[in-house]
Amino acid sequence: MSSLRQRLGEGLVAMVAGPDAEATARRIHDTPGPRWFGADRPIRHVHADSAMFVGGLNALLMQSLHPLAMAAVARHSDYRVHPWGRLQRTAAFIGMTTYAAEHDAQRAVDAVRRVHERVRGVDDSGRPYRADDPHLLGWVHAVEVDSFLRCHQRYGAAPLDAAGCDGYVTDMARIGSALGVVDPPMDVASLQARLAGYRPELRGTPEARAAARFLLIPPLPLLARAPYAVLAATAVAMLPAWARWPLRLPYLPVSEATTIRLAGHGLIGALRWVTTS
């Protein structure tokens, strides 16, 4: 059983973190020097839990609802050709900024900012977009913070108390500011107010619906399809009701509160068991 657990864990880590996962982990954890966040900070607690799998997928679905953010992804990302590449880059960035030495965390931020400087264009309606636009960065940041935190509170092994939730938003503001977010939210109340301010700008575009279909039914080996279907259903169930129709996703409150939630807890528990190997 322990051998199976280790093999499953190694396979999952390789998919999420890439073929150099072990070397990256050693650099993150073994490099001496001060960190952006101390060992007692909420961000380290949240980002270590397998509920991040649900939070990450939920965040991608939500972020697609901003037409300019979605246009930037559709025109400048290779997620259809290399679906796991974006996941691996995101996992590396989260690991570096959360746990690595300060100089490595800053290097990860600088690399993302250089990419953002090159991503610009015009969407289908003729509106210009730039990935380094502070307003768009603010949307992406707020959604990530909200999704990671909500999913942790629902599926994490040890949910935070109210002070811990505010502390997590404050911790994430450190990373958001480094990426170029102006005046990032510092607590849960300001985070919710910031998200509400974006509501008039959101809508479901054909690109957003295509991205949602790909995210929820990606090309996977046969054995991985059933677990991923549970993950996808769990992530969709964490979306607010108003976000479903723009993406043409179902809203099934009874099933989501019972069957899907139970299955989600089972899946995240299994992922936690595998990854801690």
Side-chain angles (χ1 to χ4, degrees):
M1 180 64 73
S2 61
S3 176
L4 173 63
R5 180 186 183 189
Q6 183 170 351
R7 289 200 304 272
L8 290 171
E10 289 171 351
L12 181 62
V13 169
M15 183 183 74
V16 173
D20 299 326
E22 186 175 347
T24 301
R26 284 200 302 268
R27 177 169 183 172
I28 288 173
H29 297 289
D30 296 345
T31 301
R35 266 63 178 163
W36 280 358
F37 307 104
D40 61 337
R41 293 305 303 169
I43 191 172
R44 294 172 67 102
H45 174 78
V46 172
H47 291 177
D49 195 279
S50 293
M52 287 287 286
F53 287 100
V54 181
L57 184 52
N58 180 268
L60 291 174
L61 292 169
M62 281 294 296
Q63 287 166 353
S64 73
L65 287 172
H66 197 294
L68 295 183
M70 188 62 239
V73 170
R75 290 161 173 75
H76 300 272
S77 171
D78 62 352
Y79 74 91
R80 288 182 178 277
V81 179
H82 303 291
W84 305 118
R86 186 182 182 193
L87 173 65
Q88 292 164 3
R89 291 189 295 271
T90 301
F93 178 81
I94 290 172
M96 284 290 179
T97 52
T98 305
Y99 303 105
E102 287 182 352
H103 60 274
D104 280 332
Q106 187 60 53
R107 188 176 292 115
V109 166
D110 292 342
V112 171
R113 295 194 71 153
R114 285 193 296 271
V115 172
H116 285 172
E117 289 172 358
R118 300 193 298 267
V119 176
R120 56 189 63 214
V122 179
D123 75 354
D124 290 339
S125 66
R127 292 188 299 168
Y129 63 80
R130 296 181 4 251
D132 58 359
D133 175 2
H135 186 68
L136 284 185
L137 287 172
W139 164 249
V140 172
H141 172 77
V143 169
E144 284 186 352
V145 178
D146 178 66
S147 294
F148 293 162
L149 181 58
R150 283 189 301 103
C151 293
H152 179 81
Q153 294 302 96
R154 173 71 57 82
Y155 292 105
L160 301 171
D161 60 15
C165 291
D166 285 340
Y168 177 73
V169 179
T170 301
D171 290 346
M172 287 290 281
R174 170 71 175 85
I175 300 173
S177 294
L179 285 169
V181 177
V182 176
D183 188 27
M186 300 296 289
D187 55 33
V188 172
S190 59
L191 173 64
Q192 295 307 312
R194 185 67 55 86
L195 287 167
Y198 281 95
R199 280 285 300 274
E201 304 173 33
L202 308 181
R203 60 187 178 88
T205 62
E207 290 173 332
R209 290 189 284 272
R213 287 193 297 272
F214 186 85
L215 288 168
L216 298 175
I217 315 175
L220 287 171
L222 184 61
L223 290 177
R225 292 177 188 174
Y228 191 87
V230 174
L231 177 66
T234 305
V236 169
M238 292 297 295
L239 291 170
W242 60 263
R244 311 300 181 85
W245 175 247
L247 295 175
R248 304 300 188 264
L249 298 175
Y251 177 49
L252 306 168
V254 175
S255 296
E256 290 172 9
T258 54
T259 306
I260 293 176
R261 184 178 297 194
L262 182 63
H265 277 291
L267 176 66
I268 299 307
L271 290 172
R272 191 177 292 121
W273 178 76
V274 166
T275 54
T276 53
S277 66

